[in-house]
Amino acid sequence: MDSMNELAKLIGDYETFLSEILSEVKAEGFDLHDFVQIDHLCYRAPTNDRYREMRELLSHFGTFLSENMVNGRFISTFRLHEPIVYDGWRIDALELPAPKPGDEREGLDHIEFVLYDDLHDFLEKYKNKKFGLKAMRRKINPEVSLRLSDKHVVKFHLLSLTTVVFIENQLGYDFIEDAEAYAAQ
């Protein structure tokens, strides 16, 4: 059986997930030509035990790149051995965050787009949107997010996740906090 079918058995029907979320992105009025790529999918685990189990299982489908502490929880990143190709998009990575306290959701959670334009130009172009700006002041790869529906969130940034992980590894970063977290301390 091919590995993409096996991956779908593990993380769920990513084609339907992508179809739904891309339809919502278009319905929100975004021009898909503003995006270089969908750099990764995010899969959420409901417990730390499930996180560890999924980290092990996903290692069969991709190269483990890192596990960093981001905003108080571990996030693992994998470069897929075989990229997900959907409707002209090539998705090379999968992100697996440990659960947030009180959040027991499991499954595909969000996608992230790499922008062609500067983030500030993007925000100006879509100034009518209510973006989440929590990660806007990150030192490496600031991003904004948008809740599309009760079901879907998308995030927008300038560098792919695999590039960011490479930079973080080169710089020896293994603990990342959004700027607002520092201001709250």
Side-chain angles (χ1 to χ4, degrees):
M1 183 161 285
D2 89 61
S3 65
M4 298 316 281
N5 285 337
E6 291 299 313
L7 179 62
K9 284 181 185 176
L10 180 62
I11 66 171
D13 181 0
Y14 56 80
E15 289 184 349
T16 297
F17 173 77
L18 288 166
S19 174
E20 289 173 358
I21 205 165
L22 287 169
S23 291
E24 288 185 43
V25 167
K26 289 182 216 170
E28 272 293 321
F30 287 100
D31 180 353
L32 295 182
H33 294 100
D34 287 341
F35 312 126
V36 175
Q37 72 180 120
I38 299 171
D39 66 322
H40 71 276
L41 299 175
C42 175
Y43 183 91
R44 291 207 180 272
T47 65
N48 285 320
D49 286 341
R50 181 67 172 153
Y51 167 77
R52 287 186 289 276
E53 177 186 17
M54 286 299 291
R55 189 180 59 206
E56 173 62 30
L57 293 169
L58 288 169
S59 70
H60 300 287
F61 297 94
T63 302
F64 177 78
L65 298 178
S66 74
E67 180 181 61
N68 288 337
M69 181 68 71
V70 179
N71 293 323
R73 65 192 171 127
F74 286 110
I75 296 183
S76 291
T77 303
F78 299 85
R79 179 186 296 278
L80 296 169
H81 297 310
E82 184 178 338
I84 293 170
V85 178
Y86 178 80
D87 196 29
W89 298 97
R90 175 190 164 119
I91 305 164
D92 293 306
L94 202 133
E95 175 182 70
L96 175 68
K100 290 179 184 176
D103 187 349
E104 296 184 356
R105 291 176 294 155
E106 180 167 8
L108 291 168
D109 184 69
H110 68 265
I111 63 173
E112 299 196 19
F113 288 100
V114 176
L115 300 172
Y116 272 110
D117 292 328
D118 176 78
L119 193 54
H120 294 285
D121 292 341
F122 176 76
L123 290 172
E124 180 62 27
K125 181 175 182 178
Y126 295 106
K127 60 186 170 195
N128 63 327
K129 307 292 181 205
K130 294 186 180 193
F131 290 106
L133 304 176
K134 177 182 160 195
M136 179 72 179
R137 293 178 35 199
R138 277 192 188 153
K139 291 180 182 181
I140 298 176
N141 211 28
E143 71 180 23
V144 297
S145 62
L146 183 68
R147 175 157 295 285
L148 297 170
S149 64
D150 290 340
K151 200 172 170 184
H152 297 124
V153 172
V154 290
K155 297 181 182 183
F156 309 93
H157 48 240
L158 299 174
L159 303 171
S160 73
L161 179 61
T162 54
T163 300
V164 170
V165 166
F166 174 80
I167 293 168
E168 290 170 349
N169 288 343
Q170 292 298 305
L171 295 173
Y173 288 8
D174 58 4
F175 182 83
I176 295 99
E177 289 282 343
D178 291 330
E180 284 74 16
Y182 290 119
Q185 295 177 348

